[in-house]
Amino acid sequence: MSEEHYYLELCENPVQFENASSVNNVFFDEANKQVFAVRSGGATGVVVKGPEDKSSVAFRMDDKGEVKCIKFSIGNKILAVQRTPKSVDFINFIPDYPHLEFSQECKMKNASILGFCWTNWNEIVFITDQGIEFYQVLPDKRSLKLLKSQSINVNWYMYCPETAVILLSTTFQGNVLQPFAFKSGTMSKMSKFEIELPVVPKPAKLNLSERDIAVANIYGQLYVMYLKHHSRTTDSPCAEVILYQLPREGSCKKTNVLKLNTTGKFALNVVDNLVVVHHQSTQLCVPRCRSAHHCCTALLFVCLWPAC
């Protein structure tokens, strides 16, 4: 196939790391595009690799329990490590600063930390099951300052690092999504919106999974992508990807429907403004471009599973 016919091309130098095992945990940070291989809780080494060799880092930590999440801030200045549902530990990687751990517990009583997101080199957001907490990290004082918090019941969350927007799943069914935008020490609450479910369960239960949602910056606009599965008993059981455009101000609106023409398990990504749907069972690479409203970004079936 000639180069002008490529829809998607893999890089020639993939990031290689030790596979997950009983002694090695592997994490991926979407914001910095870094893979963390943590051996024995960090006691025997942590190897961090990114798309460029200069972003690679290797170090050791004290083994203080199982690592649940680990991420560098922008520029690899501060490392954040979550080991418990109540707190996050920090280590300075700034030259001439003490290389000692310090910790921050979440402020909300009886809350459990679902995860965290760096929004700047020294600003971090804790997402708990009871809301979000926005902090400024003070590396010289080895402490954190609470900038703002918001109480809200949270099922799960998504983060778009390109736009610094966090999407929270709320309500019993999980289909009411509340976005928050972050910029230069400020947190803004955006308009919430509801994902239309194909079937409404009775009694109400969590029915929208984070596996079926993705957020992405497409042609400079923030989109929420919903992977909608239809019942096999319907006239059109094939799955669809529904795109919702999410402006900084104003209400969210449904803009596009991408027909997948098949069913099964999928995963969603966006590469160079191209929506990529990974289809596990068929292992096919078939381009599609359809929209319920107007012509939109091309849709590509591509399988990245090892069997491909």
Side-chain angles (χ1 to χ4, degrees), residues 123-190:
E123 294 172 359
I124 193 170
V125 183
F126 290 4
I127 302 96
T128 76
D129 56 359
Q130 296 182 19
I132 56 176
E133 302 174 5
F134 184 34
Y135 292 94
Q136 181 184 27
V137 183
L138 307 173
D140 54 337
K141 298 180 179 179
R142 297 177 55 244
S143 62
L144 278 74
K145 175 184 177 182
L146 181 64
L147 299 177
K148 198 170 184 180
S149 63
Q150 176 76 50
S151 296
I152 183 174
N153 291 328
V154 181
N155 301 305
W156 47 263
Y157 71 96
M158 288 280 176
Y159 180 51
C160 181
E162 292 81 7
T163 58
V165 170
I166 295 178
L167 194 68
L168 306 181
S169 163
T170 68
T171 71
F172 288 112
Q173 295 177 175
N175 65 320
V176 175
L177 303 182
Q178 175 63 68
F180 288 87
F182 299 85
K183 185 178 180 180
S184 302
T186 62
M187 181 178 81
S188 304
K189 188 176 183 180
M190 301 168 64

Side-chain angles (χ1 to χ4, degrees), residues 26-279:
V26 178
F27 304 88
F28 179 64
D29 174 20
E30 275 283 353
N32 291 319
K33 311 300 184 204
Q34 291 176 324
V35 178
F36 287 75
V38 183
R39 288 185 57 84
S40 304
T44 58
V46 180
V47 178
V48 186
K49 293 186 177 182
E52 300 178 359
D53 291 338
K54 64 180 181 181
S55 63
S56 298
V57 183
F59 56 91
R60 291 188 179 185
M61 302 186 301
D62 294 334
D63 186 358
K64 297 183 178 180
E66 179 186 0
V67 174
K68 299 180 182 297
C69 186
I70 181 169
K71 298 176 186 177
F72 268 118
S73 69
I74 298 170
N76 292 358
K77 294 181 181 295
I78 307 171
L79 180 72
V81 185
Q82 183 188 354
R83 298 184 176 97
T84 75
K86 297 295 182 182
S87 65
V88 176
D89 301 324
F90 298 87
I91 305 175
N92 286 328
F93 276 74
I94 304 173
D96 301 326
Y97 276 67
H99 194 76
L100 299 173
E101 286 195 18
F102 54 101
S103 184
Q104 176 66 49
E105 290 190 358
C106 60
K107 296 293 186 181
M108 300 177 187
K109 294 182 179 180
N110 302 320
S112 294
I113 299 175
L114 302 178
F116 58 85
C117 302
W118 287 101
T119 59
N120 205 335
W121 78 268
N122 66 339
E123 294 172 359
I124 193 170
V125 183
F126 290 4
I127 302 96
T128 76
D129 56 359
Q130 296 182 19
I132 56 176
E133 302 174 5
F134 184 34
Y135 292 94
Q136 181 184 27
V137 183
L138 307 173
D140 54 337
K141 298 180 179 179
R142 297 177 55 244
S143 62
L144 278 74
K145 175 184 177 182
L146 181 64
L147 299 177
K148 198 170 184 180
S149 63
Q150 176 76 50
S151 296
I152 183 174
N153 291 328
V154 181
N155 301 305
W156 47 263
Y157 71 96
M158 288 280 176
Y159 180 51
C160 181
E162 292 81 7
T163 58
V165 170
I166 295 178
L167 194 68
L168 306 181
S169 163
T170 68
T171 71
F172 288 112
Q173 295 177 175
N175 65 320
V176 175
L177 303 182
Q178 175 63 68
F180 288 87
F182 299 85
K183 185 178 180 180
S184 302
T186 62
M187 181 178 81
S188 304
K189 188 176 183 180
M190 301 168 64
S191 298
K192 66 181 179 181
F193 63 100
E194 183 174 346
I195 298 290
E196 299 175 3
L197 299 175
V199 178
V200 178
K202 293 183 179 180
K205 64 178 181 179
L206 186 61
N207 202 42
L208 183 66
S209 167
E210 57 189 303
R211 180 184 175 87
D212 295 329
I213 294 291
V215 290
N217 192 28
I218 305 175
Y219 294 114
Q221 300 293 327
L222 179 60
Y223 284 87
V224 175
M225 300 182 290
Y226 167 43
L227 182 58
K228 186 176 183 179
H229 298 275
H230 292 281
S231 171
R232 294 184 180 274
T233 59
T234 60
D235 296 335
S236 179
C238 296
E240 301 171 334
V241 177
I242 302 177
L243 272 65
Y244 294 84
Q245 186 177 350
L246 188 57
R248 289 279 179 169
E249 297 181 0
S251 58
C252 178
K253 58 182 179 180
K254 183 167 68 175
T255 59
N256 308 88
V257 178
L258 310 182
K259 304 290 186 178
L260 301 189
N261 296 330
T262 189
T263 60
K265 293 184 178 180
F266 304 91
L268 298 172
N269 291 107
V270 172
V271 180
D272 293 335
N273 300 311
L274 178 69
V275 179
V276 182
V277 181
H278 310 279
H279 190 220

